[in-house]
PDB file of all heavy atoms in Angstrom:
ATOM      1  N   ALA A 514      69.821  36.993 -33.665  1.00 98.00           N
ATOM      2  CA  ALA A 514      70.506  37.720 -34.736  1.00 98.00           C
ATOM      3  C   ALA A 514      71.402  36.821 -35.538  1.00 98.00           C
ATOM      4  O   ALA A 514      71.836  35.758 -35.122  1.00 98.00           O
ATOM      5  CB  ALA A 514      71.333  38.863 -34.142  1.00 98.00           C
ATOM      6  N   TYR A 515      71.766  37.261 -36.778  1.00 97.00           N
ATOM      7  CA  TYR A 515      72.656  36.505 -37.649  1.00 97.00           C
ATOM      8  C   TYR A 515      73.153  37.385 -38.780  1.00 97.00           C
ATOM      9  O   TYR A 515      72.592  38.395 -39.175  1.00 97.00           O
ATOM     10  CB  TYR A 515      72.024  35.217 -38.181  1.00 97.00           C
ATOM     11  CG  TYR A 515      70.549  35.291 -38.530  1.00 97.00           C
ATOM     12  CD1 TYR A 515      70.104  35.764 -39.768  1.00 97.00           C
ATOM     13  CD2 TYR A 515      69.628  34.759 -37.638  1.00 97.00           C
ATOM     14  CE1 TYR A 515      68.768  35.749 -40.039  1.00 97.00           C
ATOM     15  CE2 TYR A 515      68.325  34.724 -37.941  1.00 97.00           C
ATOM     16  CZ  TYR A 515      67.837  35.234 -39.170  1.00 97.00           C
ATOM     17  OH  TYR A 515      66.489  35.208 -39.474  1.00 97.00           O
ATOM     18  N   THR A 516      74.226  36.888 -39.335  1.00 98.00           N
ATOM     19  CA  THR A 516      74.696  37.358 -40.665  1.00 98.00           C
ATOM     20  C   THR A 516      73.721  36.892 -41.658  1.00 98.00           C
ATOM     21  O   THR A 516      73.383  35.676 -41.735  1.00 98.00           O
ATOM     22  CB  THR A 516      76.091  36.901 -41.036  1.00 98.00           C
ATOM     23  OG1 THR A 516      76.991  37.174 -39.929  1.00 98.00           O
ATOM     24  CG2 THR A 516      76.588  37.505 -42.317  1.00 98.00           C
ATOM     25  N   GLU A 517      73.086  37.859 -42.452  1.00 97.00           N
ATOM     26  CA  GLU A 517      72.063  37.456 -43.354  1.00 97.00           C
ATOM     27  C   GLU A 517      72.493  36.677 -44.564  1.00 97.00           C
ATOM     28  O   GLU A 517      73.487  36.991 -45.136  1.00 97.00           O
ATOM     29  CB  GLU A 517      71.277  38.737 -43.795  1.00 97.00           C
ATOM     30  CG  GLU A 517      70.570  39.536 -42.710  1.00 97.00           C
ATOM     31  CD  GLU A 517      69.496  38.774 -42.017  1.00 97.00           C
ATOM     32  OE1 GLU A 517      68.915  37.899 -42.666  1.00 97.00           O
ATOM     33  OE2 GLU A 517      69.133  39.091 -40.858  1.00 97.00           O
ATOM     34  N   LEU A 518      71.659  35.639 -44.904  1.00 94.00           N
ATOM     35  CA  LEU A 518      71.939  34.941 -46.125  1.00 94.00           C
ATOM     36  C   LEU A 518      71.539  35.794 -47.303  1.00 94.00           C
ATOM     37  O   LEU A 518      70.345  36.195 -47.382  1.00 94.00           O
ATOM     38  CB  LEU A 518      71.082  33.665 -46.189  1.00 94.00           C
ATOM     39  CG  LEU A 518      71.249  32.808 -47.408  1.00 94.00           C
ATOM     40  CD1 LEU A 518      72.644  32.284 -47.553  1.00 94.00           C
ATOM     41  CD2 LEU A 518      70.281  31.529 -47.274  1.00 94.00           C
ATOM     42  N   ASN A 519      72.475  36.090 -48.183  1.00 96.00           N
ATOM     43  CA  ASN A 519      72.188  36.950 -49.310  1.00 96.00           C
ATOM     44  C   ASN A 519      72.407  36.290 -50.641  1.00 96.00           C
ATOM     45  O   ASN A 519      72.418  36.897 -51.749  1.00 96.00           O
ATOM     46  CB  ASN A 519      73.010  38.277 -49.254  1.00 96.00           C
ATOM     47  CG  ASN A 519      74.508  38.033 -49.311  1.00 96.00           C
ATOM     48  OD1 ASN A 519      74.955  36.885 -49.031  1.00 96.00           O
ATOM     49  ND2 ASN A 519      75.318  39.093 -49.531  1.00 96.00           N
ATOM     50  N   ASN A 520      72.642  34.958 -50.666  1.00 95.00           N
ATOM     51  CA  ASN A 520      72.824  34.176 -51.859  1.00 95.00           C
ATOM     52  C   ASN A 520      71.448  33.656 -52.292  1.00 95.00           C
ATOM     53  O   ASN A 520      70.883  32.788 -51.601  1.00 95.00           O
ATOM     54  CB  ASN A 520      73.772  33.015 -51.583  1.00 95.00           C
ATOM     55  CG  ASN A 520      73.989  32.136 -52.771  1.00 95.00           C
ATOM     56  OD1 ASN A 520      73.138  32.081 -53.675  1.00 95.00           O
ATOM     57  ND2 ASN A 520      75.106  31.439 -52.820  1.00 95.00           N
ATOM     58  N   PRO A 521      70.847  34.136 -53.337  1.00 96.00           N
ATOM     59  CA  PRO A 521      69.474  33.688 -53.729  1.00 96.00           C
ATOM     60  C   PRO A 521      69.343  32.201 -54.070  1.00 96.00           C
ATOM     61  O   PRO A 521      68.285  31.595 -53.815  1.00 96.00           O
ATOM     62  CB  PRO A 521      69.140  34.497 -54.932  1.00 96.00           C
ATOM     63  CG  PRO A 521      70.451  34.942 -55.494  1.00 96.00           C
ATOM     64  CD  PRO A 521      71.358  35.058 -54.361  1.00 96.00           C
ATOM     65  N   PHE A 522      70.452  31.600 -54.538  1.00 95.00           N
ATOM     66  CA  PHE A 522      70.399  30.161 -54.852  1.00 95.00           C
ATOM     67  C   PHE A 522      70.341  29.327 -53.597  1.00 95.00           C
ATOM     68  O   PHE A 522      69.571  28.409 -53.444  1.00 95.00           O
ATOM     69  CB  PHE A 522      71.634  29.791 -55.678  1.00 95.00           C
ATOM     70  CG  PHE A 522      71.821  30.697 -56.896  1.00 95.00           C
ATOM     71  CD1 PHE A 522      72.824  31.610 -56.930  1.00 95.00           C
ATOM     72  CD2 PHE A 522      71.002  30.536 -58.016  1.00 95.00           C
ATOM     73  CE1 PHE A 522      73.004  32.443 -58.037  1.00 95.00           C
ATOM     74  CE2 PHE A 522      71.155  31.321 -59.112  1.00 95.00           C
ATOM     75  CZ  PHE A 522      72.160  32.313 -59.138  1.00 95.00           C
ATOM     76  N   ASP A 523      71.204  29.688 -52.622  1.00 91.00           N
ATOM     77  CA  ASP A 523      71.213  28.991 -51.359  1.00 91.00           C
ATOM     78  C   ASP A 523      69.889  29.243 -50.582  1.00 91.00           C
ATOM     79  O   ASP A 523      69.381  28.375 -49.953  1.00 91.00           O
ATOM     80  CB  ASP A 523      72.387  29.476 -50.500  1.00 91.00           C
ATOM     81  CG  ASP A 523      72.694  28.564 -49.296  1.00 91.00           C
ATOM     82  OD1 ASP A 523      71.972  27.611 -49.138  1.00 91.00           O
ATOM     83  OD2 ASP A 523      73.638  28.891 -48.524  1.00 91.00           O
ATOM     84  N   GLN A 524      69.393  30.461 -50.652  1.00 91.00           N
ATOM     85  CA  GLN A 524      68.180  30.769 -49.982  1.00 91.00           C
ATOM     86  C   GLN A 524      66.958  29.976 -50.489  1.00 91.00           C
ATOM     87  O   GLN A 524      66.153  29.479 -49.742  1.00 91.00           O
ATOM     88  CB  GLN A 524      67.842  32.252 -50.103  1.00 91.00           C
ATOM     89  CG  GLN A 524      66.536  32.723 -49.395  1.00 91.00           C
ATOM     90  CD  GLN A 524      66.714  32.682 -47.855  1.00 91.00           C
ATOM     91  OE1 GLN A 524      67.260  33.463 -47.251  1.00 91.00           O
ATOM     92  NE2 GLN A 524      66.128  31.567 -47.310  1.00 91.00           N
ATOM     93  N   ARG A 525      66.974  29.753 -51.821  1.00 92.00           N
ATOM     94  CA  ARG A 525      65.891  28.882 -52.380  1.00 92.00           C
ATOM     95  C   ARG A 525      66.006  27.463 -51.824  1.00 92.00           C
ATOM     96  O   ARG A 525      64.934  26.875 -51.439  1.00 92.00           O
ATOM     97  CB  ARG A 525      65.971  28.816 -53.913  1.00 92.00           C
ATOM     98  CG  ARG A 525      64.897  28.012 -54.534  1.00 92.00           C
ATOM     99  CD  ARG A 525      64.938  28.105 -56.030  1.00 92.00           C
ATOM    100  NE  ARG A 525      64.612  29.416 -56.525  1.00 92.00           N
ATOM    101  CZ  ARG A 525      63.317  29.873 -56.632  1.00 92.00           C
ATOM    102  NH1 ARG A 525      62.331  29.059 -56.331  1.00 92.00           N
ATOM    103  NH2 ARG A 525      63.066  31.094 -57.092  1.00 92.00           N
ATOM    104  N   LEU A 526      67.195  26.870 -51.733  1.00 89.00           N
ATOM    105  CA  LEU A 526      67.351  25.598 -51.164  1.00 89.00           C
ATOM    106  C   LEU A 526      66.871  25.531 -49.668  1.00 89.00           C
ATOM    107  O   LEU A 526      66.233  24.555 -49.258  1.00 89.00           O
ATOM    108  CB  LEU A 526      68.837  25.144 -51.257  1.00 89.00           C
ATOM    109  CG  LEU A 526      69.361  24.953 -52.678  1.00 89.00           C
ATOM    110  CD1 LEU A 526      70.880  24.591 -52.608  1.00 89.00           C
ATOM    111  CD2 LEU A 526      68.599  23.791 -53.321  1.00 89.00           C
ATOM    112  N   ARG A 527      67.180  26.628 -48.929  1.00 84.00           N
ATOM    113  CA  ARG A 527      66.743  26.621 -47.563  1.00 84.00           C
ATOM    114  C   ARG A 527      65.210  26.651 -47.440  1.00 84.00           C
ATOM    115  O   ARG A 527      64.625  25.996 -46.564  1.00 84.00           O
ATOM    116  CB  ARG A 527      67.323  27.855 -46.845  1.00 84.00           C
ATOM    117  CG  ARG A 527      68.827  28.013 -46.865  1.00 84.00           C
ATOM    118  CD  ARG A 527      69.539  27.146 -45.780  1.00 84.00           C
ATOM    119  NE  ARG A 527      70.906  27.627 -45.737  1.00 84.00           N
ATOM    120  CZ  ARG A 527      71.377  28.493 -44.876  1.00 84.00           C
ATOM    121  NH1 ARG A 527      70.557  29.086 -44.051  1.00 84.00           N
ATOM    122  NH2 ARG A 527      72.660  28.869 -44.938  1.00 84.00           N
ATOM    123  N   PHE A 528      64.596  27.437 -48.267  1.00 86.00           N
ATOM    124  CA  PHE A 528      63.115  27.521 -48.271  1.00 86.00           C
ATOM    125  C   PHE A 528      62.541  26.125 -48.645  1.00 86.00           C
ATOM    126  O   PHE A 528      61.569  25.716 -48.093  1.00 86.00           O
ATOM    127  CB  PHE A 528      62.625  28.587 -49.291  1.00 86.00           C
ATOM    128  CG  PHE A 528      62.597  30.020 -48.713  1.00 86.00           C
ATOM    129  CD1 PHE A 528      62.725  31.088 -49.568  1.00 86.00           C
ATOM    130  CD2 PHE A 528      62.496  30.250 -47.392  1.00 86.00           C
ATOM    131  CE1 PHE A 528      62.739  32.371 -49.099  1.00 86.00           C
ATOM    132  CE2 PHE A 528      62.509  31.556 -46.880  1.00 86.00           C
ATOM    133  CZ  PHE A 528      62.570  32.571 -47.740  1.00 86.00           C
ATOM    134  N   GLU A 529      63.131  25.480 -49.584  1.00 86.00           N
ATOM    135  CA  GLU A 529      62.632  24.174 -49.999  1.00 86.00           C
ATOM    136  C   GLU A 529      62.788  23.129 -48.895  1.00 86.00           C
ATOM    137  O   GLU A 529      61.921  22.293 -48.743  1.00 86.00           O
ATOM    138  CB  GLU A 529      63.356  23.720 -51.276  1.00 86.00           C
ATOM    139  CG  GLU A 529      62.976  24.520 -52.540  1.00 86.00           C
ATOM    140  CD  GLU A 529      63.800  24.198 -53.749  1.00 86.00           C
ATOM    141  OE1 GLU A 529      64.771  23.428 -53.585  1.00 86.00           O
ATOM    142  OE2 GLU A 529      63.472  24.708 -54.821  1.00 86.00           O
ATOM    143  N   GLU A 530      63.887  23.254 -48.057  1.00 81.00           N
ATOM    144  CA  GLU A 530      64.010  22.385 -46.903  1.00 81.00           C
ATOM    145  C   GLU A 530      62.935  22.697 -45.902  1.00 81.00           C
ATOM    146  O   GLU A 530      62.421  21.777 -45.259  1.00 81.00           O
ATOM    147  CB  GLU A 530      65.473  22.584 -46.293  1.00 81.00           C
ATOM    148  CG  GLU A 530      65.664  21.942 -44.966  1.00 81.00           C
ATOM    149  CD  GLU A 530      65.521  20.442 -44.929  1.00 81.00           C
ATOM    150  OE1 GLU A 530      65.600  19.811 -46.024  1.00 81.00           O
ATOM    151  OE2 GLU A 530      65.239  19.890 -43.852  1.00 81.00           O
ATOM    152  N   GLN A 531      62.611  23.973 -45.697  1.00 79.00           N
ATOM    153  CA  GLN A 531      61.530  24.361 -44.833  1.00 79.00           C
ATOM    154  C   GLN A 531      60.214  23.752 -45.257  1.00 79.00           C
ATOM    155  O   GLN A 531      59.402  23.242 -44.467  1.00 79.00           O
ATOM    156  CB  GLN A 531      61.441  25.870 -44.718  1.00 79.00           C
ATOM    157  CG  GLN A 531      62.554  26.493 -43.863  1.00 79.00           C
ATOM    158  CD  GLN A 531      62.234  26.351 -42.354  1.00 79.00           C
ATOM    159  OE1 GLN A 531      61.259  26.904 -41.856  1.00 79.00           O
ATOM    160  NE2 GLN A 531      63.127  25.645 -41.659  1.00 79.00           N
ATOM    161  N   ALA A 532      59.984  23.827 -46.601  1.00 79.00           N
ATOM    162  CA  ALA A 532      58.759  23.263 -47.160  1.00 79.00           C
ATOM    163  C   ALA A 532      58.678  21.750 -46.883  1.00 79.00           C
ATOM    164  O   ALA A 532      57.626  21.170 -46.604  1.00 79.00           O
ATOM    165  CB  ALA A 532      58.651  23.539 -48.642  1.00 79.00           C
ATOM    166  N   ARG A 533      59.827  21.106 -46.975  1.00 80.00           N
ATOM    167  CA  ARG A 533      59.902  19.675 -46.690  1.00 80.00           C
ATOM    168  C   ARG A 533      59.550  19.369 -45.205  1.00 80.00           C
ATOM    169  O   ARG A 533      58.763  18.419 -44.851  1.00 80.00           O
ATOM    170  CB  ARG A 533      61.272  19.087 -46.992  1.00 80.00           C
ATOM    171  CG  ARG A 533      61.419  17.587 -46.907  1.00 80.00           C
ATOM    172  CD  ARG A 533      62.791  17.120 -47.272  1.00 80.00           C
ATOM    173  NE  ARG A 533      63.814  17.441 -46.294  1.00 80.00           N
ATOM    174  CZ  ARG A 533      64.048  16.662 -45.228  1.00 80.00           C
ATOM    175  NH1 ARG A 533      63.404  15.515 -45.038  1.00 80.00           N
ATOM    176  NH2 ARG A 533      64.974  17.036 -44.356  1.00 80.00           N
ATOM    177  N   GLN A 534      60.054  20.262 -44.279  1.00 77.00           N
ATOM    178  CA  GLN A 534      59.700  20.111 -42.857  1.00 77.00           C
ATOM    179  C   GLN A 534      58.158  20.354 -42.645  1.00 77.00           C
ATOM    180  O   GLN A 534      57.601  19.685 -41.817  1.00 77.00           O
ATOM    181  CB  GLN A 534      60.541  21.046 -42.021  1.00 77.00           C
ATOM    182  CG  GLN A 534      62.006  20.685 -42.008  1.00 77.00           C
ATOM    183  CD  GLN A 534      62.815  21.562 -41.071  1.00 77.00           C
ATOM    184  OE1 GLN A 534      62.275  22.194 -40.183  1.00 77.00           O
ATOM    185  NE2 GLN A 534      64.143  21.692 -41.339  1.00 77.00           N
ATOM    186  N   LYS A 535      57.624  21.248 -43.393  1.00 74.00           N
ATOM    187  CA  LYS A 535      56.194  21.515 -43.302  1.00 74.00           C
ATOM    188  C   LYS A 535      55.376  20.277 -43.743  1.00 74.00           C
ATOM    189  O   LYS A 535      54.389  19.874 -43.101  1.00 74.00           O
ATOM    190  CB  LYS A 535      55.729  22.749 -44.062  1.00 74.00           C
ATOM    191  CG  LYS A 535      54.295  23.186 -43.856  1.00 74.00           C
ATOM    192  CD  LYS A 535      53.974  24.497 -44.586  1.00 74.00           C
ATOM    193  CE  LYS A 535      54.511  25.628 -43.759  1.00 74.00           C
ATOM    194  NZ  LYS A 535      53.719  25.850 -42.485  1.00 74.00           N
ATOM    195  N   ASP A 536      55.870  19.632 -44.792  1.00 76.00           N
ATOM    196  CA  ASP A 536      55.224  18.425 -45.259  1.00 76.00           C
ATOM    197  C   ASP A 536      55.287  17.285 -44.232  1.00 76.00           C
ATOM    198  O   ASP A 536      54.461  16.455 -44.162  1.00 76.00           O
ATOM    199  CB  ASP A 536      55.841  17.910 -46.580  1.00 76.00           C
ATOM    200  CG  ASP A 536      55.537  18.844 -47.763  1.00 76.00           C
ATOM    201  OD1 ASP A 536      54.512  19.583 -47.696  1.00 76.00           O
ATOM    202  OD2 ASP A 536      56.248  18.860 -48.752  1.00 76.00           O
ATOM    203  N   GLN A 537      56.361  17.335 -43.410  1.00 73.00           N
ATOM    204  CA  GLN A 537      56.559  16.345 -42.341  1.00 73.00           C
ATOM    205  C   GLN A 537      55.623  16.625 -41.127  1.00 73.00           C
ATOM    206  O   GLN A 537      55.581  15.845 -40.171  1.00 73.00           O
ATOM    207  CB  GLN A 537      57.944  16.284 -41.839  1.00 73.00           C
ATOM    208  CG  GLN A 537      58.917  15.743 -42.890  1.00 73.00           C
ATOM    209  CD  GLN A 537      60.400  15.794 -42.428  1.00 73.00           C
ATOM    210  OE1 GLN A 537      60.750  16.598 -41.555  1.00 73.00           O
ATOM    211  NE2 GLN A 537      61.229  14.895 -42.923  1.00 73.00           N
ATOM    212  N   GLY A 538      54.901  17.758 -41.184  1.00 75.00           N
ATOM    213  CA  GLY A 538      53.963  18.065 -40.101  1.00 75.00           C
ATOM    214  C   GLY A 538      54.366  19.296 -39.256  1.00 75.00           C
ATOM    215  O   GLY A 538      53.692  19.587 -38.250  1.00 75.00           O
TER     216      GLY A 538
END
Side-chain angles (χ1 to χ4, degrees):
Y515 37 81
T516 306
E517 297 294 337
L518 180 60
N519 60 344
N520 180 336
F522 307 106
D523 194 0
Q524 183 65 80
R525 181 175 293 278
L526 293 175
R527 303 278 193 92
F528 276 154
E529 290 172 352
E530 168 61 21
Q531 285 281 296
R533 187 176 73 85
Q534 293 183 22
K535 185 174 282 289
D536 290 339
Q537 291 177 334

